[in-house]
């Protein structure tokens, strides 16, 4: 339950990191802007997408990555088994 709660708490940031860049790109395509503003807004959309992905990866590794230990039922044998 702990990792699932961490993923649920980070859901808003993940949505913002995914949907906000999409909205910016659609807005750039739908409005007539100068190439300077268009490039700046697309760079902003890329930066927001990278930050959203980095935030999700940080949360996944540090909060949701719950390791209960390693279970190796059959260990590999080197050489001849005695």
């Amino acid at each position: 339950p702990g990792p699932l709660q961490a993923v649920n708490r980070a859901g808003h940031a993940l949505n913002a990191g995914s949907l906000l860049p999409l909205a910016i790109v659609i807005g750039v395509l739908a409005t007539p802007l100068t190439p300077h503003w268009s490039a700046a807004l697309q760079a902003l959309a890329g930066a927001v997408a990278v930050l959203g992905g980095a935030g999700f990866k940080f949360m996944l590794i540090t909060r949701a990555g719950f390791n209960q230990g390693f279970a190796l039922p059959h260990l590999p044998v080197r050489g001849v088994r005695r």
Side-chain angles (χ1 to χ4, degrees), residues 55-75:
F56 178 74
K57 189 171 188 176
F58 176 78
M59 180 276 311
L60 187 66
I61 292 171
T62 60
R63 304 284 187 257
F66 184 68
N67 186 5
Q68 295 181 1
F70 295 103
L72 298 174
H74 301 288
L75 295 174

Side-chain angles (χ1 to χ4, degrees), residues 9-46:
R9 283 192 304 259
H12 297 296
L14 178 62
N15 286 339
S18 299
L19 298 177
L20 186 60
L22 180 63
I24 292 172
V25 169
I26 290 174
V28 166
L29 293 175
T31 58
L33 296 172
T34 62
H36 174 71
W37 281 106
S38 177
L41 286 174
Q42 289 183 3
L44 175 68

